[in-house]
Amino acid sequence: MSAEPPRRHSARTHGDNSPAIGFVGKLFLSVLVGDVVEFADKAKRWGGWNWPPFLLVVPLGSYALISAPDGPLRQFVWVYLAIAGSVGLALARLVHPGSENRARHWRVLMSAASVMFAVAGTVGMDHLADHGEIDVTGRSRLTTGAVTNGSELRLVVDGPTDRARLRLTLTIRDAARSSQFCAPETRYSAQLHNQASTRVEDVGSGRTIDFPLGGLEGLIDVRITLLTDEGCQMNVFVADAVLHD
């Protein structure tokens, strides 16, 4: 008589509590082995052409994020969306590769789209680094204190001047709000220093003006003349200063 071969995952127990102990042991072994087998089966599918798009997308997205220049957040929205989309598609392709032939073209499209989004995000970030807007409000210095009708102010934007134009917005407020209300009617004129061709007239508070810098290097010097009613004292602030092409 030949011996009966042992069964897989078989267990023998003895004693009064042996059924319970044996059940728990089998349950634990089943869960543990089942999870390992399931993970191994899934890992086998994480191969072939599933990895290259992911390994390409991650470095491209990381480079784009690291090389992001300073500037208004709104100009980076589409770049961030492209990077997020590329990583999301590549990760979905990696974790859920699928095996049905009818879904093969969708998997190919997901891989191609993830790479294209990553390249678009990287190229877009490089473009913004060379031609995007640069917020220079923090680099702007304006004459402080209360000013009156005919006062001349000097606005200086520290260099470097990396773009072709300066977009400027000034805010004008009453210095003594409890005793006067002159801001709505207050205007100013402005021009780049020694460049009369850039002069703009009759500019109100909160209105945006734009100066062509014409290859100017170093600091930007803007001369401002305030026009308000006699006896009015005003405060002038730089609300927004942006270099752009």
Side-chain angles (χ1 to χ4, degrees), residues 4-51:
E4 182 180 354
R7 296 180 181 178
R8 189 179 181 183
H9 307 319
S10 62
R12 295 183 178 180
T13 60
H14 302 280
D16 295 338
N17 297 324
S18 60
I21 296 174
F23 175 78
V24 173
K26 291 180 180 179
L27 178 63
F28 176 78
L29 185 63
S30 175
V31 171
L32 178 62
V33 174
D35 289 344
V36 172
V37 171
E38 182 182 356
F39 178 80
D41 290 342
K42 183 177 292 186
K44 290 179 181 179
R45 300 197 302 266
W46 293 1
W49 291 104
N50 299 336
W51 279 101

Side-chain angles (χ1 to χ4, degrees), residues 11-173:
R12 295 183 178 180
T13 60
H14 302 280
D16 295 338
N17 297 324
S18 60
I21 296 174
F23 175 78
V24 173
K26 291 180 180 179
L27 178 63
F28 176 78
L29 185 63
S30 175
V31 171
L32 178 62
V33 174
D35 289 344
V36 172
V37 171
E38 182 182 356
F39 178 80
D41 290 342
K42 183 177 292 186
K44 290 179 181 179
R45 300 197 302 266
W46 293 1
W49 291 104
N50 299 336
W51 279 101
F54 182 79
L55 296 178
L56 178 61
V57 161
V58 170
L60 287 176
S62 300
Y63 167 78
L65 295 177
I66 293 173
S67 61
D70 294 331
L73 181 61
R74 64 179 181 278
Q75 69 180 342
F76 298 107
V77 171
W78 72 273
V79 176
Y80 291 148
L81 288 177
I83 295 173
S86 67
V87 174
L89 287 173
L91 188 60
R93 177 70 176 88
L94 180 65
V95 177
H96 300 289
S99 58
E100 298 83 357
N101 290 332
R102 66 176 183 272
R104 183 176 301 171
H105 64 285
W106 289 111
R107 300 196 299 273
V108 173
L109 287 176
M110 288 173 63
S111 297
S114 66
V115 174
M116 287 189 295
F117 284 162
V119 171
T122 304
V123 173
M125 194 66 80
D126 285 340
H127 175 79
L128 291 176
D130 294 333
H131 303 286
E133 297 182 351
I134 303 175
D135 188 350
V136 292
T137 307
R139 288 159 46 186
S140 303
R141 294 178 282 113
L142 180 65
T143 304
T144 58
V147 295
T148 59
N149 183 46
S151 294
E152 295 185 353
L153 296 81
R154 184 186 183 200
L155 170 65
V156 175
V157 179
D158 294 328
T161 306
D162 297 326
R163 299 293 184 266
R165 306 183 71 87
L166 170 66
R167 186 169 65 240
L168 182 65
T169 306
L170 300 181
T171 299
I172 304 174
R173 297 174 182 169

